[in-house]
Amino acid sequence: MSEQLPPQQKGAFFSFLKSLASFKGDLASLTAPPFLLSSQSIVEFSAYWAEHPSLFVAPAREPDPEKRALLVLKWFLSTLKEQHNNKDANGKRKRMKPLNPFLGELFLGKWVDEAGTTNLVAEQVSHHPPITACNIWNDAHGVRLAGYVAPKASFSTTVHIDRKGYSILHLDDFDEDYLITMPKIHIEGIMTGSLAPELSGTTYIRSSSGYTAKIQYSCKGWLSGKRNSFVAKIYHDGQETEPLYTAEGQWSGEYTVKKRATLEIIEKCDASTLSKTPLTVAPIEKQHPLESRRAWRHVVDGIERGDIFAIGQEKSKIENEQREMRKRERAEGKEFPRRYFSKMGRDFVAEKLAEGIKDTGFKADMGAHVGVWMWDEEKYRRVQKESPGGVKIPGRTRFDSGVGGMLLDDSTR
């Protein structure tokens, strides 16, 4: 059961609810009470894709495309718990409102374990609307994941988060691609203060080998059911009614995998027992001013102290500087340079894979509202050449928030 809000926080929480009910537009721009603010920026959420590197690279070692599709599904399910659960690994209730990334915000890291080195680059490529792009790769196993997500939050009896965008998982050895769509989120228990995210709707993992995983999410009802439930099936093209495998249970806990032809349980999985590989991030003092944890460090200090005045003051520094930068860019006819990603007109790989996802508007909607953001290898190599240890430090910064005063010249590109 979700942890209840302490009595001293309930007044502020229900005042926040009133503002939610009357707010028009994307809720991401609404300021939440300090006790709801997370110390984590949304740009860090990209790390949830590869907290279990051995599962991330496992499909690259499987020669059978049918079994690879199952391994990709298992990896995908392993990414859901930490990202959407309302409690951390120690059972403590998470703060539910992450920090809104500013344009150009970066999050860089790597995982090092028995799977080798798995690298992460995430960048906030748009602020209005908010879009986060990421690229994760493991060269030793030839596995790459690149994609972007554009979340939009709204309120109607509860908070609903619709996530546009998609990711492409690529396996070098098989020259195989997987198109991955994103589940919707709504927040349960918002009227009582017992906040718990739930996934809803249907998502797909569609492979270039002709296999599709269809995942349907459901939540606990008034009288029956369990939280965080899902049912998934893997089928070959044109054979959705004759699936090869099914999986059913809780994405935050136990689920079973069956071979449909025999109804034999071939595996029992438990997301709560998976061990995470720690993400290695550069020390704050060695990070670029646009890297997330350096940029937000004073805000995070305020959040951890519960100091609403410090939070407001430090957030305002960043937000005001960003407004000045956008104003200066417009006056000079320039656009803030994205460091690792580029906006493209079309993604032909994703479009081709989307043709196999029937009875959805996904292909027609692809990039229609937010554009298509893709990893730019040339930009990455240029940054690495200019600064082998990481991102090149800009010519100057205006104040010690870690963000301000970025000059739009060659020193920041």
Side-chain angles (χ1 to χ4, degrees):
M1 181 176 293
S2 299
E3 183 180 340
Q4 297 286 336
L5 285 174
Q8 65 270 25
Q9 295 178 354
K10 288 187 176 180
F13 177 75
F14 287 111
S15 294
F16 177 60
L17 281 185
K18 290 180 181 178
S19 64
L20 279 179
S22 60
F23 188 80
K24 304 297 182 183
D26 188 351
L27 295 181
S29 60
L30 194 63
T31 300
F35 57 84
L36 289 182
L37 284 178
S38 169
S39 59
Q40 190 180 40
S41 168
I42 290 176
V43 78
E44 288 198 34
F45 282 29
S46 302
Y48 291 120
W49 285 110
E51 289 184 313
H52 313 290
S54 59
L55 293 178
F56 177 65
V57 304
R61 302 191 296 267
E62 174 53 61
D64 185 338
E66 179 182 312
K67 293 180 180 178
R68 281 200 301 274
L70 179 58
L71 288 171
V72 171
L73 173 62
K74 286 177 57 182
W75 156 73
F76 174 76
L77 292 172
S78 78
T79 70
L80 300 178
K81 179 179 180 292
E82 292 300 323
Q83 181 175 179
H84 302 105
N85 205 12
N86 67 323
K87 292 186 178 181
D88 61 22
N90 299 317
K92 184 178 179 181
R93 180 166 58 88
K94 290 181 180 179
R95 297 171 182 253
M96 301 304 294
K97 177 65 169 67
L99 298 168
N100 296 327
F102 53 84
L103 179 60
E105 184 174 332
L106 303 170
F107 188 61
L108 313 176
K110 62 183 178 181
W111 298 267
V112 180
D113 60 7
E114 64 275 7
T117 299
T118 305
N119 299 283
L120 163 68
V121 172
E123 179 177 3
Q124 192 70 11
V125 294
S126 175
H127 187 63
H128 294 297
I131 305 172
T132 306
C134 79
N135 189 48
I136 300 172
W137 70 98
N138 183 303
D139 285 332
H141 293 271
V143 181
R144 291 177 278 128
L145 176 79
Y148 66 95
V149 60
K152 184 174 182 179
S154 59
F155 184 83
S156 176
T157 68
T158 189
V159 174
H160 299 269
I161 304 173
D162 188 14
R163 294 186 285 186
K164 303 294 184 183
Y166 59 88
S167 295
I168 298 287
L169 178 72
H170 181 81
L171 306 180
D172 286 348
D173 285 351
F174 306 106
D175 194 22
E176 187 174 59
D177 294 298
Y178 293 79
L179 172 66
I180 303 167
T181 65
M182 305 294 292
K184 296 180 180 180
I185 307 172
H186 66 275
I187 308 299
E188 293 283 326
I190 197 165
M191 300 307 295
T192 64
S194 301
L195 305 181
E198 280 281 7
L199 303 183
S200 59
T202 302
T203 64
Y204 296 85
I205 305 174
R206 160 74 178 164
S207 84
S208 56
S209 296
Y211 294 90
T212 298
K214 181 179 181 179
I215 309 130
Q216 296 174 294
Y217 307 89
S218 60
C219 59
K220 180 177 174 61
W222 287 102
L223 300 176
S224 63
K226 293 183 178 180
R227 290 191 181 279
N228 309 338
S229 295
F230 78 94
V231 176
K233 59 182 177 181
I234 295 176
Y235 53 90
H236 200 269
D237 285 351
Q239 299 177 342
E240 182 176 350
T241 59
E242 301 175 11
L244 302 164
Y245 300 98
T246 60
E248 185 172 1
Q250 292 177 285
W251 48 261
S252 60
E254 297 180 353
Y255 67 90
T256 57
V257 180
K258 294 181 181 179
K259 195 170 183 64
R260 184 58 184 267
T262 61
L263 298 182
E264 172 192 4
I265 295 177
I266 60 174
E267 192 168 4
K268 292 184 178 180
C269 304
D270 189 345
S272 64
T273 64
L274 292 174
S275 59
K276 298 188 297 182
T277 296
L279 177 68
T280 301
V281 178
I284 294 290
E285 64 274 11
K286 293 186 178 181
Q287 291 183 14
H288 184 279
L290 292 181
E291 287 193 62
S292 184
R293 293 184 183 178
R294 176 174 173 178
W296 291 105
R297 67 191 184 281
H298 298 312
V299 176
V300 170
D301 287 344
I303 290 172
E304 292 177 348
R305 297 195 312 269
D307 188 338
I308 188 172
F309 299 105
I311 295 170
Q313 183 180 40
E314 295 299 334
K315 281 179 85 273
S316 293
K317 284 183 181 180
I318 295 174
E319 291 163 355
N320 291 337
E321 179 66 18
Q322 287 290 303
R323 293 188 189 100
E324 287 186 25
M325 291 170 67
R326 302 292 87 78
K327 183 178 179 180
R328 185 167 66 247
E329 290 161 6
R330 287 192 295 270
E332 297 176 359
K334 295 181 178 180
E335 183 178 356
F336 187 86
R338 280 62 166 184
R339 281 160 175 72
Y340 297 107
F341 297 85
S342 294
K343 190 173 184 179
M344 310 298 288
R346 298 177 65 180
D347 182 344
F348 293 101
V349 171
E351 288 181 15
K352 180 66 175 177
L353 291 171
E355 291 176 357
I357 301 177
K358 306 297 184 182
D359 303 322
T360 73
F362 177 75
K363 183 177 180 181
D365 193 47
M366 187 181 295
H369 306 294
V370 299
V372 173
W373 289 91
M374 299 178 68
W375 174 253
D376 193 321
E377 188 70 23
E378 183 178 340
K379 287 183 177 180
Y380 174 73
R381 289 178 179 175
R382 184 166 68 242
V383 170
Q384 292 299 101
K385 182 179 179 180
E386 293 174 351
S387 181
V391 188
K392 188 174 181 180
I393 299 297
R396 65 179 173 90
T397 56
R398 186 170 299 174
F399 54 81
D400 190 33
S401 73
V403 180
M406 300 292 294
L407 291 175
L408 290 179
D409 57 22
D410 289 341
S411 67
T412 66
R413 293 179 186 272

